[in-house]
């Protein structure tokens, strides 16, 4: 296997969470989503959750110092020894630099970064149809799955809901934040020779296949 550590980089709605679940199963990596960790902190009304909520609801980034600390704590857990897949981190150059420093300190090989490319129009369409489960990490879409708010999750029976930050105004803000604060991270990893780019605008099964090939340097495929 080429890269035991992976980063999925891409705008909101690119399919990071959806495909991270797939790659996690295929490659046996620990899936770390800073968005999921923060949403859980908000739901449990922890100190972190109280600090993060206002930023998340408005579609803005949670301050670097909070997120860097939570990512480092998570990466130090035992399940990460088998390799990990970061979804939603880093999303500023300061976060990328902190991750590089942390990895050098604990002597972990540099990650492969997959840059997921998609148009704003497709992102807006996908996020307007996204439905989440409160009980498990499954991500749904009303356009494809026969499910909506009021139904029970077919996987765990949990409540189906719409994320607060999937409202149109927050999606617009998140796309702007991505261009302003996260796109420079693409350049950061490009200059370090750690970046591969994958077009993720297509059908989910096709995108999954392309990501698996990119993630493993062609050593694994779903054909
Ligand atoms: P986070 O949860 O990370 O949100 P995001 O990056 O905006 O990404 P999303 O979860 O919205 O989208 P996704 O790419 O995972 O797409 P998905 O797979 O769901 O962060 C949320 C907030 O937390 C941030 O705004 C910020 O406030 C805070 N935060 C988190 N990390 C932070 C950090 N590092 N620093 C600072 N703040 C941080 O797919 C979307 C929809 O499309 C689904 O319905 C899915 O079914 C569908 N879909 C997926 N792929 C396809 C396909 N190929 N074809 C058709 N439909 C598809």
């Amino acid at each position: 296997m080429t890269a035991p550590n992976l980063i999925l980089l891409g705008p909101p709605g690119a399919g990071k969470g959806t495909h991270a679940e797939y790659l996690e199963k295929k490659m046996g990596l620990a899936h770390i989503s800073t968005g999921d960790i923060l949403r859980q902190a908000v739901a449990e009304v922890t100190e972190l959750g109280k600090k993060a909520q206002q930023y998340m609801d408005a579609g803005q980034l949670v301050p670097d110092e909070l997120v860097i600390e939570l990512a480092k704590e998570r990466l130090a857990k035992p399940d990460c020894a088998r390799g990990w897949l970061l979804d939603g981190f880093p999303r500023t150059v300061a976060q990328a630099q902190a991750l590089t420093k942390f990895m050098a300190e604990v002597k972990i090989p540099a990650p492969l970064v997959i840059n997921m490319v998609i148009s704003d129009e497709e992102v807006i369409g996908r996020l307007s149809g996204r439905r989440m489960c409160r009980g498990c990490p499954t991500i749904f879409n009303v356009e494809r799955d026969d499910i909506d708010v009021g139904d029970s999750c077919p996987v765990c029976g949990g409540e189906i809901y719409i994320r607060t930050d999937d409202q149109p105004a927050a999606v617009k803000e998140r796309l702007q934040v991505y261009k302003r604060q996260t796109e420079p991270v693409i350049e950061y990893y490009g200059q370090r020779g750690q970046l591969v780019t994958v077009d993720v605008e297509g059908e989910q099964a096709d995108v999954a296949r392309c990501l698996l090939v990119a993630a493993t340097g062609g050593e694994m495929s779903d054909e």
Side-chain angles (χ1 to χ4, degrees):
M1 185 108 6
T2 19
N5 302 312
L6 288 175
I7 294 174
L8 291 185
L9 199 60
K16 300 183 294 296
T18 301
H19 294 100
E21 265 197 76
Y22 165 83
L23 292 173
E24 177 189 8
K25 285 190 192 117
K26 283 279 174 188
M27 299 175 69
L29 304 172
H31 171 200
I32 301 171
S33 158
T34 44
D36 285 350
I37 296 171
L38 289 165
R39 273 185 291 281
Q40 193 177 346
V42 170
E44 290 170 0
V45 201
T46 64
E47 280 311 306
L48 172 65
K50 283 191 239 171
K51 287 180 190 152
Q53 184 167 19
Q54 52 173 321
Y55 299 101
M56 296 176 75
D57 287 351
Q60 290 161 3
L61 295 185
V62 174
D64 282 339
E65 60 273 20
L66 294 177
V67 183
I68 288 169
E69 212 36 54
L70 91 76
K72 286 200 311 200
E73 272 173 30
R74 181 62 188 86
L75 287 168
K77 296 215 166 142
D79 64 326
C80 291
R82 65 176 192 256
W84 42 253
L85 192 170
L86 277 173
D87 152 15
F89 183 93
R91 53 216 283 172
T92 64
V93 172
Q95 291 179 18
Q97 288 166 336
L99 180 64
T100 302
K101 186 163 172 265
F102 171 78
M103 294 182 73
E105 279 164 10
V106 295
K107 299 190 171 51
I108 305 177
L112 177 73
V113 182
I114 301 182
N115 176 28
M116 300 169 72
V117 176
I118 185 170
S119 66
D120 287 1
E121 294 69 32
E122 180 70 15
V123 158
I124 291 164
R126 286 186 188 180
L127 291 183
S128 68
R130 176 165 58 186
R131 301 294 181 266
M132 307 286 287
C133 174
R134 289 203 197 277
C136 73
T138 314
I139 301 167
F140 300 97
N141 199 288
V142 284
E143 301 296 329
R144 190 192 47 221
D145 309 303
D146 186 20
I147 198 160
D148 209 340
V149 174
D151 295 331
S152 298
C153 172
V155 179
C156 76
E159 183 195 352
I160 299 297
Y161 75 103
I162 299 176
R163 272 170 50 174
T164 314
D165 61 353
D166 279 349
Q167 301 305 323
V171 169
K172 198 171 162 207
E173 175 66 13
R174 286 160 66 203
L175 278 168
Q176 285 171 359
V177 165
Y178 180 78
K179 289 180 204 316
R180 205 168 52 236
Q181 294 181 266
T182 308
E183 280 188 350
V185 178
I186 300 171
E187 200 185 331
Y188 175 85
Y189 284 117
Q191 283 171 351
R192 301 172 71 87
Q194 288 173 245
L195 195 74
V196 291
T197 295
V198 175
D199 181 335
V200 295
E201 188 117 5
E203 291 290 326
Q204 195 171 311
D206 296 335
V207 171
R209 269 193 289 274
C210 292
L211 288 171
L212 184 63
V213 169
T216 62
E219 284 178 28
M220 284 178 80
S221 84
D222 223 359
E223 301 301 330

